[in-house]
Short mmCIF file of all heavy atoms in Angstrom, two decimals:
data_model
loop_
_atom_site.label_atom_id
_atom_site.label_comp_id
_atom_site.label_asym_id
_atom_site.label_seq_id
_atom_site.Cartn_x
_atom_site.Cartn_y
_atom_site.Cartn_z
N GLY D 21 -11.12 -13.07 32.93
CA GLY D 21 -9.74 -12.56 33.27
C GLY D 21 -8.91 -12.43 32.02
O GLY D 21 -7.77 -12.06 32.09
N ALA D 22 -9.50 -12.72 30.87
CA ALA D 22 -8.60 -12.65 29.59
C ALA D 22 -8.39 -11.21 29.11
O ALA D 22 -7.47 -10.94 28.38
CB ALA D 22 -9.40 -13.45 28.49
N GLY D 23 -9.19 -10.25 29.71
CA GLY D 23 -8.92 -8.85 29.32
C GLY D 23 -10.01 -8.30 28.45
O GLY D 23 -9.82 -7.35 27.79
N LYS D 24 -11.21 -9.03 28.24
CA LYS D 24 -12.23 -8.55 27.29
C LYS D 24 -12.73 -7.22 27.63
O LYS D 24 -12.79 -6.43 26.77
CB LYS D 24 -13.43 -9.66 27.37
CG LYS D 24 -12.98 -10.94 27.08
CD LYS D 24 -14.18 -11.91 26.98
CE LYS D 24 -14.99 -12.09 28.34
NZ LYS D 24 -14.19 -12.88 29.34
N GLY D 25 -13.03 -6.91 28.90
CA GLY D 25 -13.55 -5.69 29.28
C GLY D 25 -12.59 -4.50 29.05
O GLY D 25 -12.93 -3.50 28.48
N THR D 26 -11.36 -4.72 29.39
CA THR D 26 -10.27 -3.75 29.25
C THR D 26 -10.10 -3.40 27.79
O THR D 26 -10.05 -2.23 27.41
CB THR D 26 -8.91 -4.30 29.81
OG1 THR D 26 -9.17 -4.60 31.17
CG2 THR D 26 -7.90 -3.29 29.61
N GLN D 27 -10.01 -4.40 26.89
CA GLN D 27 -9.80 -4.19 25.48
C GLN D 27 -11.03 -3.62 24.88
O GLN D 27 -10.90 -2.78 23.96
CB GLN D 27 -9.30 -5.47 24.82
CG GLN D 27 -7.96 -5.99 25.24
CD GLN D 27 -6.87 -4.96 24.92
OE1 GLN D 27 -6.88 -4.26 23.96
NE2 GLN D 27 -5.79 -5.11 25.62
N ALA D 28 -12.22 -4.04 25.33
CA ALA D 28 -13.43 -3.56 24.65
C ALA D 28 -13.59 -2.00 24.92
O ALA D 28 -13.97 -1.31 23.99
CB ALA D 28 -14.67 -4.21 25.24
N GLU D 29 -13.21 -1.53 26.14
CA GLU D 29 -13.30 -0.18 26.41
C GLU D 29 -12.30 0.69 25.43
O GLU D 29 -12.78 1.78 25.03
CB GLU D 29 -12.85 0.14 27.86
CG GLU D 29 -13.93 -0.19 28.89
CD GLU D 29 -15.21 0.72 28.61
OE1 GLU D 29 -15.08 1.91 28.58
OE2 GLU D 29 -16.26 0.11 28.45
N ILE D 30 -11.28 0.15 25.12
CA ILE D 30 -10.29 0.84 24.23
C ILE D 30 -10.79 0.75 22.76
O ILE D 30 -10.82 1.72 22.01
CB ILE D 30 -8.83 0.24 24.28
CG1 ILE D 30 -8.31 0.31 25.74
CG2 ILE D 30 -7.89 0.86 23.34
CD1 ILE D 30 -7.09 -0.54 26.02
N LEU D 31 -11.20 -0.44 22.39
CA LEU D 31 -11.57 -0.71 20.95
C LEU D 31 -12.89 0.03 20.57
O LEU D 31 -13.08 0.54 19.46
CB LEU D 31 -11.83 -2.15 20.65
CG LEU D 31 -10.56 -3.01 20.75
CD1 LEU D 31 -10.89 -4.50 20.73
CD2 LEU D 31 -9.55 -2.67 19.66
N LYS D 32 -13.77 0.29 21.55
CA LYS D 32 -15.02 0.93 21.23
C LYS D 32 -14.75 2.36 20.75
O LYS D 32 -15.42 2.95 19.85
CB LYS D 32 -15.99 0.94 22.40
CG LYS D 32 -15.74 1.76 23.54
CD LYS D 32 -16.90 1.99 24.49
CE LYS D 32 -16.60 2.88 25.53
NZ LYS D 32 -17.51 3.01 26.69
N LYS D 33 -13.77 2.99 21.45
CA LYS D 33 -13.35 4.41 21.01
C LYS D 33 -12.70 4.39 19.68
O LYS D 33 -12.95 5.22 18.84
CB LYS D 33 -12.47 4.95 22.15
CG LYS D 33 -13.28 5.19 23.47
CD LYS D 33 -12.41 5.88 24.51
CE LYS D 33 -12.94 5.69 25.82
NZ LYS D 33 -12.09 5.15 26.78
N LYS D 34 -11.69 3.49 19.56
CA LYS D 34 -10.94 3.42 18.28
C LYS D 34 -11.79 3.15 17.13
O LYS D 34 -11.56 3.72 16.01
CB LYS D 34 -9.98 2.28 18.50
CG LYS D 34 -8.78 2.25 17.56
CD LYS D 34 -7.70 1.26 17.98
CE LYS D 34 -6.75 0.96 16.86
NZ LYS D 34 -5.99 2.06 16.31
N PHE D 35 -12.90 2.25 17.21
CA PHE D 35 -13.65 1.93 16.04
C PHE D 35 -15.13 2.52 16.07
O PHE D 35 -15.90 2.09 15.28
CB PHE D 35 -13.71 0.41 15.84
CG PHE D 35 -12.33 -0.11 15.54
CD1 PHE D 35 -11.47 -0.66 16.46
CD2 PHE D 35 -11.85 -0.11 14.27
CE1 PHE D 35 -10.21 -1.16 16.23
CE2 PHE D 35 -10.59 -0.57 13.94
CZ PHE D 35 -9.75 -1.18 14.84
N ASN D 36 -15.37 3.33 17.07
CA ASN D 36 -16.62 3.91 17.22
C ASN D 36 -17.87 2.84 17.26
O ASN D 36 -18.81 2.94 16.53
CB ASN D 36 -16.88 4.89 15.99
CG ASN D 36 -18.12 5.87 16.27
OD1 ASN D 36 -18.55 5.95 17.40
ND2 ASN D 36 -18.67 6.39 15.15
N LEU D 37 -17.67 1.93 18.24
CA LEU D 37 -18.62 0.84 18.39
C LEU D 37 -19.24 0.91 19.74
O LEU D 37 -18.65 1.58 20.68
CB LEU D 37 -17.99 -0.38 18.21
CG LEU D 37 -17.28 -0.68 16.85
CD1 LEU D 37 -16.50 -2.01 16.77
CD2 LEU D 37 -18.30 -0.84 15.73
N VAL D 38 -20.40 0.34 19.97
CA VAL D 38 -20.99 0.32 21.21
C VAL D 38 -20.65 -0.96 21.93
O VAL D 38 -20.83 -2.07 21.39
CB VAL D 38 -22.63 0.46 21.09
CG1 VAL D 38 -23.26 0.23 22.49
CG2 VAL D 38 -22.93 1.79 20.55
N HIS D 39 -20.14 -0.74 23.24
CA HIS D 39 -19.74 -1.95 23.97
C HIS D 39 -20.87 -2.44 24.91
O HIS D 39 -21.32 -1.75 25.68
CB HIS D 39 -18.45 -1.37 24.79
CG HIS D 39 -18.05 -2.39 25.90
ND1 HIS D 39 -17.38 -2.10 27.11
CD2 HIS D 39 -18.09 -3.78 25.93
CE1 HIS D 39 -17.08 -3.09 27.77
NE2 HIS D 39 -17.51 -4.25 27.08
N ILE D 40 -21.21 -3.66 24.71
CA ILE D 40 -22.18 -4.30 25.62
C ILE D 40 -21.58 -5.40 26.34
O ILE D 40 -21.17 -6.45 25.76
CB ILE D 40 -23.44 -4.82 24.84
CG1 ILE D 40 -24.13 -3.65 24.02
CG2 ILE D 40 -24.44 -5.47 25.81
CD1 ILE D 40 -25.37 -4.11 23.29
N SER D 41 -21.45 -5.26 27.67
CA SER D 41 -20.99 -6.32 28.56
C SER D 41 -22.15 -6.81 29.41
O SER D 41 -22.69 -6.11 30.16
CB SER D 41 -19.85 -5.83 29.47
OG SER D 41 -19.76 -6.57 30.71
N THR D 42 -22.40 -8.08 29.13
CA THR D 42 -23.62 -8.64 29.91
C THR D 42 -23.35 -8.60 31.42
O THR D 42 -24.18 -8.33 32.22
CB THR D 42 -24.02 -10.09 29.36
OG1 THR D 42 -22.82 -10.75 29.15
CG2 THR D 42 -24.86 -9.92 28.16
N GLY D 43 -22.04 -8.95 31.71
CA GLY D 43 -21.69 -8.83 33.23
C GLY D 43 -21.93 -7.52 33.72
O GLY D 43 -22.51 -7.33 34.86
N ASP D 44 -21.48 -6.46 33.01
CA ASP D 44 -21.71 -5.02 33.56
C ASP D 44 -23.20 -4.76 33.65
O ASP D 44 -23.59 -4.14 34.58
CB ASP D 44 -21.08 -4.03 32.52
CG ASP D 44 -19.51 -3.98 32.66
OD1 ASP D 44 -18.98 -4.62 33.69
OD2 ASP D 44 -18.94 -3.38 31.79
N VAL D 45 -23.96 -5.14 32.72
CA VAL D 45 -25.51 -4.91 32.75
C VAL D 45 -26.08 -5.59 34.04
O VAL D 45 -26.80 -4.98 34.80
CB VAL D 45 -26.22 -5.31 31.51
CG1 VAL D 45 -27.75 -5.04 31.66
CG2 VAL D 45 -25.60 -4.66 30.28
N PHE D 46 -25.61 -6.70 34.28
CA PHE D 46 -26.09 -7.48 35.45
C PHE D 46 -25.61 -6.81 36.69
O PHE D 46 -26.40 -6.58 37.69
CB PHE D 46 -25.57 -9.01 35.55
CG PHE D 46 -26.24 -9.86 34.55
CD1 PHE D 46 -25.50 -10.89 33.80
CD2 PHE D 46 -27.74 -9.87 34.34
CE1 PHE D 46 -26.17 -11.68 32.87
CE2 PHE D 46 -28.35 -10.76 33.50
CZ PHE D 46 -27.59 -11.67 32.74
N ARG D 47 -24.42 -6.35 36.79
CA ARG D 47 -23.80 -5.68 38.01
C ARG D 47 -24.64 -4.36 38.21
O ARG D 47 -24.87 -3.97 39.26
CB ARG D 47 -22.35 -5.46 37.86
CG ARG D 47 -21.58 -6.71 38.22
CD ARG D 47 -20.09 -6.44 38.25
NE ARG D 47 -19.54 -6.29 36.85
CZ ARG D 47 -19.25 -7.35 36.09
NH1 ARG D 47 -19.27 -8.63 36.52
NH2 ARG D 47 -18.72 -7.11 34.86
N TYR D 48 -24.90 -3.65 37.11
CA TYR D 48 -25.75 -2.35 37.17
C TYR D 48 -27.08 -2.65 37.84
O TYR D 48 -27.61 -1.96 38.80
CB TYR D 48 -25.94 -1.81 35.75
CG TYR D 48 -26.74 -0.55 35.77
CD1 TYR D 48 -26.10 0.64 36.04
CD2 TYR D 48 -28.04 -0.61 35.48
CE1 TYR D 48 -26.88 1.81 36.01
CE2 TYR D 48 -28.86 0.59 35.45
CZ TYR D 48 -28.30 1.75 35.68
OH TYR D 48 -29.10 2.89 35.61
N ASN D 49 -27.71 -3.86 37.41
CA ASN D 49 -28.98 -4.14 37.98
C ASN D 49 -28.97 -4.64 39.45
O ASN D 49 -29.81 -4.38 40.16
CB ASN D 49 -29.65 -5.32 37.14
CG ASN D 49 -30.28 -4.73 35.95
OD1 ASN D 49 -31.53 -4.31 36.03
ND2 ASN D 49 -29.67 -4.71 34.74
N ILE D 50 -27.75 -5.24 39.75
CA ILE D 50 -27.60 -5.60 41.24
C ILE D 50 -27.53 -4.34 42.06
O ILE D 50 -28.12 -4.23 43.10
CB ILE D 50 -26.27 -6.51 41.42
CG1 ILE D 50 -26.55 -7.84 40.66
CG2 ILE D 50 -25.95 -6.77 42.81
CD1 ILE D 50 -25.30 -8.74 40.61
N LYS D 51 -26.65 -3.40 41.58
CA LYS D 51 -26.38 -2.16 42.31
C LYS D 51 -27.84 -1.48 42.53
O LYS D 51 -27.96 -0.82 43.49
CB LYS D 51 -25.50 -1.28 41.41
CG LYS D 51 -24.68 -0.35 42.38
CD LYS D 51 -23.61 0.35 41.51
CE LYS D 51 -23.75 1.87 41.61
NZ LYS D 51 -23.26 2.60 40.52
#
Side-chain angles (χ1 to χ4, degrees):
K24 302 185 293 291
T26 302
Q27 293 296 335
E29 280 300 305
I30 301 169
L31 295 171
K32 76 169 186 189
K33 293 184 195 124
K34 199 172 162 57
F35 293 98
N36 194 17
L37 301 170
V38 171
H39 172 205
I40 299 182
S41 154
T42 40
D44 284 351
V45 179
F46 286 138
R47 281 184 287 277
Y48 177 85
N49 277 275
I50 292 172
K51 209 172 121 207

